[in-house]
Amino acid sequence: MGKYSTYNNKNYPVNIRNDKFRLKSKEHESGFKELIDLGGIIHSDIFIKEVTLDEIDLLFELKYKIIYKGKEYDPFSTGELVINSGELTLFSSDYEDYESNGFIKVEQFVFKKQVSIDEIDALVEVIEPVLEFNKFPKERKVVPSNQIEMYFRQF
């Protein structure tokens, strides 16, 4: 989850600071330079490129929902953690989940449940345009549970 931009028909994680848009890539691409951190250390596995808002095709926030037993839930985390453990933690504020779906009460109106990827119905990718792009419609893509691991490996 986080902010991404579409630049030259490819999606990149983006960091926005002082009206500068810093794209990040794991591959060396044209115009991208090795990241040099604040300590002066060169990271040869992270490449960055600063672009203007005019150069970006879309700026969006990437969010996820999990469909479990036909109902949509928010996940605690996604990505590499899920691939490594094979499990997800789901959150709910619905007391019925506590009573009938095996959720554990964390605090008032907050319930959670650990489930394996095999137990969920699907992952829903939600692309929500931000800033000047917020006039674009929200997009939802459903990823079946048997394709989730492959989906996260592409990042």
Side-chain angles (χ1 to χ4, degrees), residues 39-94:
I41 298 171
I42 298 172
H43 296 268
S44 58
D45 59 340
I46 302 173
F47 303 92
I48 58 166
K49 179 176 185 173
E50 281 193 5
V51 297
T52 65
L53 186 61
D54 294 335
E55 295 175 277
I56 294 173
D57 300 318
L58 179 65
L59 188 62
F60 62 94
E61 208 160 310
L62 182 59
K63 299 177 181 179
Y64 295 102
K65 297 286 186 178
I66 302 297
I67 300 175
Y68 173 70
K69 294 188 176 185
K71 187 175 174 184
E72 221 172 75
Y73 294 95
D74 290 320
F76 177 70
S77 66
T78 54
E80 195 172 327
L81 293 173
V82 173
I83 292 169
N84 292 339
S85 70
E87 294 186 328
L88 292 154
T89 301
L90 307 178
F91 283 93
S92 175
S93 59
D94 188 345

